[in-house]
Each structure stands twice: as C-alpha cells, then as structure tokens.
Amino acid sequence: MPETQTTGWGLIAGNGRFPFLVLEGARSQGIDMAVIALKEEASEQLASLAKRLHWVSLGELSKAIELMHQEGVTRAVMAGQVKHNKIFSSIRPDWKLAKLLFSLKRKNTDALIGAVARVLEDEGIHLVDSTHFLKPLLPEPGVLTKRAPDDRETADIEYGLGVARLIAAMDIGQTVVISDRACVAVEAMEGTDETIARAARIAGDKPLVVVKVSKPRQDMRFDVPVIGLPTIEHMKSARATALALDAGRTLLFDRAKLIEQADAAGIAIQAVSPASVMEPKGVAEGMDKE
C-alpha cells in the first residue's frame, strides 16, 4: 500500500497530547482519520478535531475492530498512553480480548499490545509506526540546548546510559536518575515524572541527571519514549540539571518550547545514539566476566 494514500487511516487514541499531534500531522498531509478513543484514557477534546470519532472501553477489542471495519480502516496508528495498572486491573475484557489474555505467556503491557497488533493484522488492519506523522519531533544525535552537559553531568550520563539500557532490556523501565555516578531511582510502572519526583525525595539537595532510553527492541508502533513540558518542570523541582535521551527514538512534545524552557532553567539536553553504551562503567569492576 503506497505511503501517499490518504484514505483508510485510523487512530486508536489513549491519553495525553500524542493523539492530537498525530491528528494534526495527518491532517497536514490531507488525511482524515477515523478515531477509536479509549473511554478510560482519551480526552473529550478529541471531538473538536475528529469528524469520525467512536468511544470504546479498554476491553472492547471486538467493538473497536468492528468500528474500524465500518470506517474502512486498513492502516492504524496507536497514540497516547494507557496506564499500565489500568490494563491489568481495571480492564473488563470482551470474549476476543479474554481469549487473547489467556493465551499470553508474559502478562505485561508490551506482550498484550503486541498480541492486539497481531489480531489487528489478522483483521486486515496494519498497525503503523506511531511516529509516522511526527518525524520532526524525533531529535538527531547531539546537544539540543544552548548548554552542553558539563564534566560531572557527562560522567553521570555515561553511567546512567549503561544502567538504563540494562533495565530497559529487562523490560522493567526506561528511565533512571543518577547522582555522582550512583543510581538514585529506577522507573517501573509509575512513569518518568514520578521517578524524577521520587529521586528528589531520596537525594535531598544533590544535583541529579535524568537518563531515558529506548528498549533494545522498542516497538515504535505502540511504545514510544516521550518527553514533554511536565518532565522539564519536574526536573526543575528536583534540581535535575541534565537530561539524556535516545536520538531518533524519543518524541519531544512541544519541542521548541521544551528546549526554550530547558535553556531558561539551565538544563542541558543531549540526544545520544541508541547503541552508545551497553553497560554502566564501573559496575563490573573487579568481577570475573568469563
């Protein structure tokens, strides 16, 4: 199917600004998307942008598929967060989703959404990279702010990248907060901003560095690392002075304003190669690595 085709597009919308940005990006290319909005997550303001809007609950997989067929959807984008705890605690699955959940060997979010993606493919609905319409928001490698990380921050970034990549490879979280080459906080299900806030409570007045990475096999169809304006605000409150993120695999919402606010706060932001550091320096010193 040619990429220039403007018909047959659908959006499965969760919470936050991500769905709005996808709709705006698609509209700029002359694409009018049918929207399947998740009642528990998506904003009611989507109605002001989407002419074809349908609301479904998290567990209503059959209904979502039926609606997409009715709308002629053959390619879909998933955009917007669905809180991890809601997926496995608040969900009321229909028969199709219940059958899928029962078949999962691993009971985590990636496994579930990956299985949903396979069901959609079987139904003739191809799930597309969720950054398809948002390429300008994916940074290239390099320093994004006026100030580059200083020597202290660079050392913490190098250490943090190694820790974060190991954690991400284990599918635990993708953000770590570092101070003086020590890991203060590791993200689990609470999200980046809560991890930063927790690190601030633990570290007291010590300066912090935040590192957010992609998973080794990040599925960009439904699981994209995101940094937004609230993250910068949390960093300011936490006395975090630098942020490192994966180039080409992290979305920067409100990119220009985000960098402007980081500059105003003296926060350095650096985009690094996703394959830059695989093990934290010093972690295995003195250990037999046979």
Side-chain angles (χ1 to χ4, degrees), residues 185-213:
V186 173
E187 177 190 27
M189 287 189 177
E190 72 274 37
T192 299
D193 295 345
E194 286 297 324
T195 305
I196 295 170
R198 177 159 50 85
R201 294 193 295 270
I202 295 170
D205 292 332
K206 290 183 178 180
L208 302 171
V209 167
V210 179
V211 178
K212 186 179 182 75
V213 302

Side-chain angles (χ1 to χ4, degrees), residues 17 137 145 227-230 232-233 236 252-265 269:
R17 292 203 59 225
L137 300 182
T145 46
I227 296 291
L229 295 175
I232 301 301
E233 291 300 317
K236 287 166 59 177
L252 298 182
F253 288 173
D254 298 299
R255 177 172 176 164
K257 189 174 182 181
L258 185 151
I259 293 173
E260 178 184 331
Q261 290 195 3
D263 282 333
I269 303 179

Side-chain angles (χ1 to χ4, degrees), residues 86-153:
K86 283 188 179 181
I87 291 178
F88 289 101
S89 63
S90 303
I91 198 169
R92 292 184 178 181
D94 61 15
W95 69 270
K96 186 180 286 287
L97 187 58
K99 181 180 178 182
L100 187 151
L101 284 168
F102 183 75
S103 69
L104 292 180
K105 293 181 180 179
R106 299 179 65 192
K107 306 297 183 183
N108 61 24
T109 307
D110 280 3
L112 172 58
I113 302 181
V116 169
R118 290 191 293 274
V119 170
L120 292 178
E121 291 284 352
D122 290 342
E123 292 283 345
I125 301 167
H126 176 59
L127 201 60
V128 177
D129 183 335
S130 59
T131 66
H132 183 85
F133 299 104
L134 303 176
K135 298 304 182 184
L137 300 182
L138 297 171
E140 297 292 325
V143 176
L144 307 182
T145 46
K146 293 178 180 177
R147 184 178 76 80
D150 60 24
D151 290 345
R152 173 189 63 82
E153 293 162 339

Side-chain angles (χ1 to χ4, degrees), residues 273-285:
S273 166
S276 57
V277 180
M278 294 308 296
E279 182 175 288
K281 293 182 178 181
V283 164
E285 289 176 2

